[in-house]
Amino acid sequence: MSIRTRFSLQDTEIPTLWYNLNADLPEPVPPPLHPGTKQPLTPDALAPVFPMNLIMQEASTERWIEIPEPVREIYALWRPTPVFRAVRFEQALQTPAHIYYKYEGASPAGSHKPNTAVAQAYYNKVAGTKRICTETGAGQWGSSLAFACRLFGLECTVYMVKVSFHQKPYRKLLMQTWGATVYSSPSENTEYGRKVLAEDPDCPGSLGIAISEAIQDAVTSGNAKYSLGSVLNHVCLHQTVVGQECIKQMELAGEEPDVIVGCVGGGSNFAGLAFPFVRRKITEKKHYKILAVEPTSCPTLTKGDLRYDFGDTAEMTPLLMMYTLGHKFMPPRIHAGGLRYHGMAPMVSHIKKLGLIDAVAYPQTKVFEAAVAFARSEGLVVAPETAHAIAAVIDEAVKCREEGRKRVILFNLSGHGQLDLAAYDTYLSGNMQDV
Amino acid sequence: MSIRTRFSLQDTEIPTLWYNLNADLPEPVPPPLHPGTKQPLTPDALAPVFPMNLIMQEASTERWIEIPEPVREIYALWRPTPVFRAVRFEQALQTPAHIYYKYEGASPAGSHKPNTAVAQAYYNKVAGTKRICTETGAGQWGSSLAFACRLFGLECTVYMVKVSFHQKPYRKLLMQTWGATVYSSPSENTEYGRKVLAEDPDCPGSLGIAISEAIQDAVTSGNAKYSLGSVLNHVCLHQTVVGQECIKQMELAGEEPDVIVGCVGGGSNFAGLAFPFVRRKITEKKHYKILAVEPTSCPTLTKGDLRYDFGDTAEMTPLLMMYTLGHKFMPPRIHAGGLRYHGMAPMVSHIKKLGLIDAVAYPQTKVFEAAVAFARSEGLVVAPETAHAIAAVIDEAVKCREEGRKRVILFNLSGHGQLDLAAYDTYLSGNMQDV
């Protein structure tokens, strides 16, 4: 072909190791603190919430951690994922930039989330867990964990933020098809949910509330553990298969990225793409511009404070050192439900503080303008979360055009948008507003 | 890994040729007849409807037809597609059978349909067409053509069967996101649509009616051509990339299929998988069992008559020699909208008559039982159309268990079901009935 646009790895090239950025940071991430004592957390304190194997992984500073064979066997359903060069999109933007994207949308749940869901379900299975509780916003995470639990024979209980439960019935149905039990959060199923509903029966819910409910369900029922789809170190770790594959694929393409872009909510898809490149930035002094893209309506990295804060609304979680808008922050109802989180992964927060990455925020109309431009040139309809990355890619590519300078841009196409078409409809019919 | 489950081809192994079964048939398919004169159709008679390059392809008996480079460049967005071995599904069925599937669900539109949509848009583009009209049932075809037209800068007008237009809003939104104009059929936009509505304002629509509307729009407007997503020879031809890739991939797996299964509506996904194997059955005397699976509510191959019939309700199309339930047949409203067509591809009908393939029909509750079993073991949620193939695969696998005999089964997983979750909901909540 005239221009090669697809860069696939062999079936045998699914990574065998996860990469742990904690091994290479110039200074360590501040430790999580016990919510009562405010002292660094001991592994035992987390034991009611997570299985011990994941707790140890959360605290690990080992550089490479072996991916268990049963996890890789399920990864094979969609990994290795392809990298594409978006030549039609480049042409539409009339840019000298070369734009590459890693396509994580072909997983069974449609996003990057199964990369950690499968790992977490596996570690819970071997630790003897029978049921996993979690929260979900738009449903990308809940559906991924439902899928993973099903394959390991675990029960799965999902607290889905009420506004999404009603706006996004398809992802709820996807979870149910995989056999999960799904509650609209705040729910009558937990003490905390009942408390919230008593104060405000019309509460639209938030990720912070849903996290509190899922933790409470897990620790009070005695037979279950809790699972988080982003933010934590071990979640970022599991996602590093994305960036590791990309490094090989950019070699296949014979190019080195100048700009690396991912959207951020809790931080996991960004971490997955970025951390293996951050390693090279630290150890090989590479000059990458690594860009985290968030919504202006939930501007954690661009307007939040870096301080210890709770991960949830009910103050049940450990205190994490992170950029935060405050754990009582109630984000507006934007269409990128997966980016409506008040905090940011401590590891992502830390490398932002160290100046290893940059951050930028976009309003949702601009984001959907980018998504439609991408769909109509490249041909793929992306998730609203992913569209934030594309908005930033367009600005970078336009800058290249204006400066007459070729740069290589790589972004994480973290999920497809086939279950988010109602949001496209709102945009295309002129009814979308910035909040 | 313990058992290899994924068999991918190289990026460079996208087929370069389509395979034309007409070159190898022991007797030719009876020609299409002019609807007025009842004489074999001349190419000129089709010129108002299709561009001449596709008309010549429709009549071709050349064995191998080169795939144009611009078509292969777009195929690279999702091709070559992987073949998987469904080991978890085998275990769930406790069968000695080895079950393989070709996964066509990762295309931008979520099914095999873009294989021909891209080709048809390309040939129209080079012939000078500005706009393409088509019909769609569940929306798999309409969204695929909308995608393809967009990439070649053509306008796209879709007549979507009314019952699906309202039941499946997401596929309509997908078409609109790619810039297509979508009408609920029967519509006020064509003379034929207005006639149908005058007789029955509540008419739920059918593929036959929508085809009539799309043809009428194309031929009366003067600036447009018509496109069909199944049935015709050139559509079956374009889909043969599927089966050609499978032959290589089964070699990678080191196995030869005994049973080859695809669902049938108009016949194109089945043809795509089956025709390259039918060739081997004819030329190399292979003993494949090749099975076409249809709904009991639209039993074209199992209960239809083989005779000349119209492709549409308004009797505008040529007469095709095919298994048919009669062009006035109004299929019940089943969830597999893509299988609600009264006729069957003439080439598929012909090889059925010649005894080269078998056919079987399943009711939709049995079909969804199969789909849920597959989702909960293998992890993939499939389209209701595809689920028909899975129902037959289960019966074949159970037969292997009962006979204590290993056979190799290969089926076409023609599309994912993420836009069909309302149908899963109907099934899971116990509200699905056979019709």
Side-chain angles (χ1 to χ4, degrees):
Chain A
M1 291 183 205
S2 40
I3 298 178
R4 183 172 172 192
T5 57
R6 183 183 170 118
F7 304 91
S8 302
L9 299 177
Q10 307 290 313
D11 293 333
T12 51
E13 292 181 283
I14 296 172
T16 56
L17 305 167
W18 288 304
Y19 166 63
N20 186 358
L21 179 62
N22 280 321
D24 289 308
L25 288 172
E27 54 179 85
V29 178
L33 304 183
H34 189 282
T37 66
K38 307 287 192 295
Q39 293 302 304
L41 208 64
T42 59
D44 281 357
L46 283 172
V49 181
F50 297 111
M52 194 50 74
N53 47 17
L54 282 175
I55 294 170
M56 299 317 288
Q57 204 169 67
E58 181 69 14
S60 172
T61 55
E62 219 180 310
R63 182 170 289 110
W64 299 103
I65 295 176
E66 192 174 339
I67 305 177
E69 204 51 39
V71 172
R72 293 182 77 232
E73 281 172 12
I74 295 176
Y75 277 177
L77 263 179
W78 70 99
R79 307 211 72 83
T81 62
V83 161
F84 293 99
R85 181 168 159 208
V87 283
R88 290 178 291 276
F89 191 44
E90 293 168 13
Q91 286 158 6
L93 296 171
Q94 297 180 284
T95 179
H98 287 190
I99 302 174
Y100 292 85
Y101 59 96
K102 179 69 166 170
Y103 186 57
E104 292 289 305
S107 80
S111 78
H112 66 291
K113 291 287 188 189
N115 294 330
T116 184
V118 171
Q120 292 191 49
Y122 167 79
Y123 285 114
N124 271 283
K125 179 72 178 181
V126 299
T129 306
K130 302 294 180 208
R131 181 170 71 96
I132 304 183
C133 304
T134 198
E135 73 293 331
T136 199
Q140 292 273 24
W141 169 242
S143 53
S144 300
L145 191 66
F147 155 76
C149 282
R150 186 76 209 184
L151 295 197
F152 286 107
L154 298 168
E155 286 180 61
C156 183
T157 304
V158 182
Y159 292 85
M160 184 171 189
V161 176
K162 192 200 276 174
V163 55
S164 292
F165 187 89
H166 295 293
Q167 268 182 3
K168 314 228 165 178
Y170 274 30
R171 286 230 174 81
K172 174 188 64 187
L173 294 172
L174 197 48
M175 297 180 231
Q176 290 168 336
T177 299
W178 278 314
T181 303
V182 188
Y183 295 102
S184 166
S185 169
S187 78
E188 295 287 347
N189 202 50
T190 68
E191 198 186 315
Y192 184 67
R194 290 189 292 273
K195 178 167 167 277
V196 172
L197 286 172
E199 286 167 14
D200 177 8
D202 296 325
C203 173
S206 70
L207 274 176
I209 294 170
I211 293 173
S212 299
E213 286 207 272
I215 294 177
Q216 200 167 61
D217 181 350
V219 300
T220 58
S221 69
N223 69 349
K225 295 292 181 194
Y226 167 72
S227 166
L228 189 62
S230 190
V231 178
L232 298 178
N233 298 357
H234 67 273
V235 180
C236 295
L237 175 81
H238 299 154
Q239 292 293 351
T240 60
V241 291
V242 174
Q244 289 185 69
E245 288 180 3
C246 278
I247 285 176
K248 283 193 173 185
Q249 287 165 303
M250 292 309 296
E251 282 167 14
L252 279 182
E255 302 216 77
E256 172 105 65
D258 299 299
V259 186
I260 295 157
V261 184
C263 65
V264 281
S268 78
N269 99 75
F270 173 79
L273 174 66
F275 285 5
F277 288 98
V278 172
R279 174 176 189 236
R280 294 182 145 197
K281 198 164 171 171
I282 295 169
T283 62
E284 302 176 33
K285 311 287 177 207
K286 297 273 190 183
H287 293 282
Y288 303 130
K289 174 176 180 178
I290 304 180
L291 192 56
V293 191
E294 61 187 11
T296 47
S297 57
C298 193
T300 320
L301 280 176
T302 51
K303 297 212 173 146
D305 300 319
L306 181 62
R307 61 179 169 84
Y308 274 109
D309 194 12
F310 292 99
D312 71 325
T313 309
E315 306 184 355
M316 291 178 193
T317 71
L319 290 158
L320 301 173
M321 174 59 84
M322 61 183 178
Y323 283 95
T324 176
L325 298 162
H327 63 283
K328 301 287 187 189
F329 177 76
M330 185 67 77
R333 301 184 191 193
I334 58 166
H335 290 281
L339 306 185
R340 293 171 76 246
Y341 185 62
H342 69 274
M344 181 55 59
M347 291 182 74
V348 172
S349 296
H350 189 63
I351 59 174
K352 170 71 168 59
K353 189 201 81 167
L354 295 177
L356 289 163
I357 63 169
D358 297 306
V360 63
Y362 284 88
Q364 69 177 350
T365 52
K366 186 96 181 159
V367 162
F368 274 85
E369 185 187 331
V372 170
F374 190 74
R376 291 185 176 180
S377 56
E378 184 64 12
L380 291 171
V381 176
V382 306
E385 292 80 6
T386 304
H388 286 73
I390 296 177
V393 167
I394 290 176
D395 279 354
E396 292 290 330
V398 167
K399 210 186 301 170
C400 290
R401 182 180 69 208
E402 288 167 354
E403 297 172 358
R405 180 178 171 202
K406 179 201 148 185
R407 304 185 87 196
V408 176
I409 303 170
L410 169 66
F411 74 95
N412 195 0
L413 201 166
S414 53
H416 71 63
Q418 299 207 348
L419 297 182
D420 305 284
L421 288 162
Y424 278 84
D425 188 33
T426 303
Y427 174 76
L428 290 171
S429 59
N431 293 318
M432 186 175 285
Q433 289 174 337
D434 289 324
V435 284
Chain B
M1 292 186 201
S2 40
I3 298 178
R4 183 172 173 192
T5 58
R6 182 181 170 118
F7 304 91
S8 301
L9 299 177
Q10 307 289 315
D11 293 333
T12 51
E13 292 181 283
I14 296 172
T16 55
L17 304 167
W18 287 305
Y19 166 63
N20 186 358
L21 180 61
N22 280 323
D24 289 309
L25 288 172
E27 56 179 84
V29 178
L33 305 183
H34 189 283
T37 67
K38 307 285 192 294
Q39 294 302 307
L41 207 65
T42 59
D44 281 355
L46 283 173
V49 181
F50 297 111
M52 194 50 73
N53 47 17
L54 282 175
I55 293 170
M56 299 317 288
Q57 205 168 66
E58 181 68 15
S60 172
T61 54
E62 217 180 311
R63 182 171 289 110
W64 299 104
I65 295 177
E66 192 174 341
I67 305 177
E69 205 51 37
V71 172
R72 293 182 76 233
E73 281 172 11
I74 295 176
Y75 277 178
L77 263 180
W78 71 98
R79 307 212 72 84
T81 61
V83 161
F84 294 100
R85 181 169 159 207
V87 282
R88 290 178 291 275
F89 190 46
E90 292 168 13
Q91 285 158 7
L93 296 171
Q94 298 181 283
T95 179
H98 288 190
I99 302 174
Y100 292 84
Y101 59 95
K102 179 70 165 169
Y103 185 56
E104 292 289 304
S107 79
S111 79
H112 67 291
K113 291 287 188 189
N115 294 331
T116 184
V118 171
Q120 292 191 50
Y122 167 79
Y123 285 114
N124 272 284
K125 179 73 179 180
V126 299
T129 306
K130 301 295 178 206
R131 181 170 70 96
I132 303 183
C133 303
T134 198
E135 73 293 330
T136 198
Q140 293 273 24
W141 168 243
S143 55
S144 299
L145 192 66
F147 154 76
C149 282
R150 186 77 210 182
L151 295 197
F152 285 107
L154 299 168
E155 286 180 62
C156 183
T157 304
V158 182
Y159 291 86
M160 184 172 189
V161 176
K162 191 199 277 174
V163 56
S164 291
F165 186 90
H166 295 292
Q167 268 182 4
K168 313 225 167 182
Y170 273 29
R171 287 230 174 81
K172 173 188 65 186
L173 295 172
L174 197 48
M175 296 179 230
Q176 290 167 337
T177 298
W178 278 314
T181 303
V182 188
Y183 295 101
S184 167
S185 169
S187 78
E188 295 286 349
N189 201 51
T190 67
E191 196 186 316
Y192 184 67
R194 290 189 291 274
K195 176 164 169 278
V196 172
L197 286 173
E199 287 167 13
D200 178 8
D202 296 326
C203 174
S206 70
L207 274 176
I209 293 169
I211 292 174
S212 300
E213 286 207 273
I215 294 176
Q216 200 167 61
D217 182 350
V219 299
T220 57
S221 70
N223 68 350
K225 295 292 179 189
Y226 167 73
S227 165
L228 189 62
S230 191
V231 178
L232 298 178
N233 297 358
H234 67 272
V235 180
C236 295
L237 174 81
H238 299 154
Q239 292 294 350
T240 59
V241 290
V242 174
Q244 289 185 69
E245 288 180 4
C246 278
I247 285 176
K248 282 192 173 186
Q249 288 165 302
M250 292 309 295
E251 283 167 14
L252 278 181
E255 302 217 76
E256 173 104 65
D258 299 300
V259 186
I260 294 157
V261 184
C263 64
V264 281
S268 79
N269 99 75
F270 173 79
L273 174 65
F275 284 5
F277 289 99
V278 173
R279 174 177 189 236
R280 293 181 146 198
K281 200 164 170 170
I282 295 169
T283 63
E284 302 176 35
K285 310 286 179 209
K286 297 274 190 183
H287 292 282
Y288 303 129
K289 175 175 180 178
I290 303 180
L291 192 55
V293 190
E294 62 189 9
T296 47
S297 57
C298 193
T300 319
L301 280 176
T302 52
K303 296 210 173 148
D305 301 320
L306 182 62
R307 60 178 171 87
Y308 274 110
D309 194 12
F310 291 98
D312 71 327
T313 309
E315 308 184 352
M316 293 178 192
T317 70
L319 289 159
L320 302 172
M321 175 59 84
M322 60 184 179
Y323 282 95
T324 177
L325 298 162
H327 64 282
K328 301 286 188 191
F329 177 76
M330 185 67 76
R333 301 184 190 193
I334 59 165
H335 290 281
L339 306 185
R340 292 171 75 247
Y341 185 63
H342 69 273
M344 181 55 59
M347 291 182 74
V348 172
S349 296
H350 190 65
I351 59 174
K352 171 70 167 60
K353 189 201 82 168
L354 295 177
L356 288 162
I357 63 169
D358 297 307
V360 63
Y362 284 89
Q364 69 176 350
T365 51
K366 185 97 180 160
V367 161
F368 274 84
E369 185 187 330
V372 170
F374 190 73
R376 291 187 175 177
S377 56
E378 185 63 13
L380 291 171
V381 176
V382 306
E385 291 81 7
T386 304
H388 285 74
I390 296 178
V393 167
I394 291 176
D395 278 354
E396 292 289 329
V398 167
K399 210 186 301 170
C400 289
R401 182 179 70 208
E402 289 168 353
E403 296 172 359
R405 179 177 171 202
K406 181 202 146 184
R407 303 184 88 195
V408 176
I409 303 170
L410 169 66
F411 74 94
N412 195 1
L413 201 166
S414 54
H416 72 63
Q418 299 207 349
L419 296 182
D420 305 285
L421 287 162
Y424 278 83
D425 189 34
T426 303
Y427 174 76
L428 290 171
S429 58
N431 294 319
M432 185 175 285
Q433 290 175 336
D434 289 324
V435 284

